[in-house]
Amino acid sequence: MTEHSFTSVKELAISLGISRTTLYKRAKDATIELTGTYTDEQIDILKGVQTSEHPSEHNEHESEQNWTVLSEQLTVKDQQIKELHEQLKQAQKLVDQAQQLQLKTQLQLEEKQEKILLLESANKEEEVPEKKGFWRSLFGK
């Protein structure tokens, strides 16, 4: 195992091709003290290289977990879509009923207005007194 020496954290970060902030975060996560001398394994960890003995198994397991999570999320989304579709159908029914009720009410109102107009015109015809000529009003009948 080779040891690598660096004079500063900045020099190590530049060597690894990462920012100092990333370097500090990775060192903290891996509990590596930034002393200036590092093993190959520590350098790989700080680079972000996976050091598992079976990286392909780890990736497969992670992919399987991701797939399961995505599948569950998709199932939940499908259920939400179905529920929203049902709510939309119910809303459309309510709108149709409201429109039918409004039309029925409007027709009844128009019918009543026609009746009122007919009654008013009939009353006007009855109220008009018969006109008599001048001589007729003088001699009766």
Side-chain angles (χ1 to χ4, degrees), residues 58-141:
H58 180 71
N59 285 341
E60 286 177 15
H61 181 65
E62 191 174 302
S63 295
E64 190 174 313
Q65 285 178 336
N66 289 342
W67 182 257
T68 304
V69 169
L70 290 174
S71 178
E72 290 171 1
Q73 288 175 347
L74 186 58
T75 303
V76 169
K77 295 293 181 190
D78 286 343
Q79 184 62 33
Q80 289 175 341
I81 289 171
K82 285 179 185 178
E83 289 173 7
L84 290 173
H85 186 65
E86 288 300 318
Q87 289 176 356
L88 180 61
K89 279 183 179 180
Q90 290 176 353
Q92 287 174 336
K93 285 180 184 179
L94 291 174
V95 168
D96 287 345
Q97 289 174 352
Q99 287 176 343
Q100 289 174 358
L101 183 60
Q102 184 179 4
L103 179 62
K104 185 177 180 180
T105 305
Q106 186 178 355
L107 290 174
Q108 289 175 347
L109 179 63
E110 289 174 0
E111 185 180 317
K112 292 205 183 264
Q113 286 175 341
E114 283 182 28
K115 286 180 182 179
I116 290 172
L117 289 175
L118 287 174
L119 288 174
E120 286 177 355
S121 65
N123 286 339
K124 283 183 182 178
E125 289 176 4
E126 290 176 6
E127 291 177 8
V128 175
E130 187 180 321
K131 290 186 179 182
K132 295 182 180 180
F134 175 73
W135 295 107
R136 195 172 201 184
S137 62
L138 286 177
F139 295 107
K141 285 194 179 181

Side-chain angles (χ1 to χ4, degrees), residues 18-82:
I18 58 175
S19 70
R20 286 186 324 160
T21 306
T22 303
L23 176 63
Y24 281 116
K25 182 180 181 303
R26 288 182 183 170
K28 181 181 176 186
D29 290 345
T31 60
I32 297 174
E33 299 227 4
L34 299 175
T35 58
T37 306
Y38 310 96
T39 64
D40 288 336
E41 185 179 322
Q42 288 175 327
I43 294 291
D44 286 344
I45 291 171
L46 293 174
K47 279 184 185 177
V49 175
Q50 187 175 1
T51 58
S52 172
E53 291 180 15
H54 303 287
S56 62
E57 287 179 17
H58 180 71
N59 285 341
E60 286 177 15
H61 181 65
E62 191 174 302
S63 295
E64 190 174 313
Q65 285 178 336
N66 289 342
W67 182 257
T68 304
V69 169
L70 290 174
S71 178
E72 290 171 1
Q73 288 175 347
L74 186 58
T75 303
V76 169
K77 295 293 181 190
D78 286 343
Q79 184 62 33
Q80 289 175 341
I81 289 171
K82 285 179 185 178

